[in-house]
């Protein structure tokens, strides 16, 4: 992939973030998501790539925009798989709370797992703890391994977990082991990424969330030298069969980094919609707005933070 594609993808996440930020705190999550999706789709028309959505807003008959199988870009090389979440944290934006982002990940065609829309159990860590975790091991053993890898006591570790009833056992075991917990309402892509940045204060992610979000997080962590492991959690025979149709012979196998994103080249871009540990949210002042984004490339390991100032009256394509 051309490195110039990194900046093109940031323009796409910026557009989605700017559009959805108008709905912050208004209690209308569907409208916020629609604004982000529409803006993202329009901006993709300017991107020089031949993209196919492998993780999107749903199947073609379920989502009018950014559906799985949809073609994106100008139809020129490179040919890439595209994973999108125009607004990760629709509830966050509706409530005006912490950590909503707009996200894109791309990889060479055929290199992203076509993750079915179901739950995935996940564990994620930053570069210092790569190779030390095991999704099948007890919580306490993983915490011990991460603490040792980072030169910390378990009591110094912070685990990040979605606040859900299904996670009560995990939460109890983390506390019993002596580690601290940061509970979040939504947004486990951002949570997984935060494990790779020491300034966020997050050391490890536990728990289950969406499988598509697991692939997005895997691309980011591959760029940063971190690690995520996952196991799909099909709830019925229909979901098991869907996994098999998507190429997963054993739906219950442990999915490692190279199962989630193959190859040595991938790009991840995200723009903050509301303030988070890593990215600031959109600031709108009249006809001007500022954005804060991160873009990374696995091939080079380069991570760039980009602050943008936008004159909204000159962006007629942007949905406001």
């Amino acid at each position: 992939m051309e490195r110039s594609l990194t900046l093109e993808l940031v323009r796409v996440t910026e557009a989605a973030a700017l559009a959805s930020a108008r709905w912050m705190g208004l209690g209308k999550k569907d409208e916020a998501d629609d604004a982000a999706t529409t803006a993202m789709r329009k901006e993709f028309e300017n991107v020089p790539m031949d993209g196919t959505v492998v993780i999107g807003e749903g199947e073609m008959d379920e989502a009018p925009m950014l559906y799985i199988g949809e073609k994106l870009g100008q139809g020129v090389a490179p040919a890439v798989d595209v994973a999108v979440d125009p607004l990760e944290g629709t509830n966050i934006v509706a409530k005006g709370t912490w950590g909503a982002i707009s996200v894109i990940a791309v990889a060479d065609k055929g290199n992203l797992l076509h993750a079915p829309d179901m739950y995935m159990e996940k564990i994620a860590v930053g570069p210092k703890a790569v190779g030390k975790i095991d999704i099948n091991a007890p919580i306490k053993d993983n915490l011990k391994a991460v603490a040792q890898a980072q030169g910390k006591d378990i009591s110094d570790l912070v685990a990040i977990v979605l606040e859900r009833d299904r996670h009560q056992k995990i939460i109890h075991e983390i506390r019993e082991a002596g580690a601290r917990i940061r509970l979040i309402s939504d947004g486990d892509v951002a949570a997984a990424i935060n494990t790779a940045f020491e300034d966020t204060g997050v050391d490890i992610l536990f728990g289950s969330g969406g499988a598509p979000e697991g692939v997005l997080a895997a691309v980011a962590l591959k760029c940063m030298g971190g690690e995520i492991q996952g196991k799909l959690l099909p709830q019925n025979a229909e979901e098991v069969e869907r996994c098999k149709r998507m190429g997963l012979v054993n739906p219950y196998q442990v999915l490692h980094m190279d199962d989630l994103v193959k190859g040595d080249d991938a790009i991840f871009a995200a723009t903050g919609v509301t303030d988070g540990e890593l990215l600031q949210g959109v600031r709108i002042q009249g006809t001007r707005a500022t954005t804060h984004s991160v873009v990374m490339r696995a091939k080079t390991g380069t991570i760039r933070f980009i602050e943008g100032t936008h004159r909204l009256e000159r962006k007629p394509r942007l949905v406001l």
Side-chain angles (χ1 to χ4, degrees), residues 64 88 100-101 119 171 173 288 290:
E88 200 223 2
I101 57 176
Y119 283 127
I171 292 169
E173 290 181 8
R288 291 181 182 267
T290 59

Side-chain angles (χ1 to χ4, degrees), residues 10 23 25 36 93-94 115 146 193 197 212 223 257 276 294 319:
V10 170
W23 295 92
V93 172
V146 172
I193 296 168
F197 288 95
C223 293
M257 292 291 287
V294 62
V319 178

Side-chain angles (χ1 to χ4, degrees), residues 265-304:
D265 202 5
I267 299 171
F268 176 92
T271 299
V273 181
T274 63
D275 287 345
E277 288 90 347
L278 188 63
L279 296 172
Q280 294 178 354
V282 174
R283 303 284 193 273
I284 300 174
Q285 294 182 328
T287 60
R288 291 181 182 267
T290 59
T291 55
H292 189 210
S293 306
V294 62
V295 61
M296 343 176 180
R297 189 178 180 192
K299 189 172 185 177
T300 61
T302 301
I303 301 170
R304 289 185 173 92

Side-chain angles (χ1 to χ4, degrees), residues 150 152 156-160 180-182 191 194-204 277-278:
Q150 296 191 357
K152 296 181 177 181
D156 295 325
L157 295 182
V158 174
I160 193 162
R180 295 172 293 157
I181 300 176
R182 183 174 298 171
N194 286 343
T195 65
F197 288 95
E198 292 186 9
D199 290 348
T200 65
V202 175
D203 299 291
I204 186 167
E277 288 90 347
L278 188 63

Side-chain angles (χ1 to χ4, degrees), residues 133-192:
I133 57 171
D134 179 354
I135 197 169
N136 288 324
I139 295 287
K140 186 173 184 178
D141 289 355
N142 279 307
L143 290 170
K144 284 181 177 178
V146 172
Q148 184 176 14
Q150 296 191 357
K152 296 181 177 181
D153 294 329
I154 288 182
S155 59
D156 295 325
L157 295 182
V158 174
I160 193 162
V161 182
L162 280 168
E163 189 173 14
R164 301 288 189 269
D165 288 344
R166 65 180 182 270
H167 290 156
Q168 287 306 307
K169 183 174 184 293
I170 292 173
I171 292 169
H172 174 74
E173 290 181 8
I174 293 170
R175 288 173 174 161
E176 281 289 300
R180 295 172 293 157
I181 300 176
R182 183 174 298 171
L183 294 173
I184 56 172
S185 62
D186 294 282
D188 67 343
V189 174

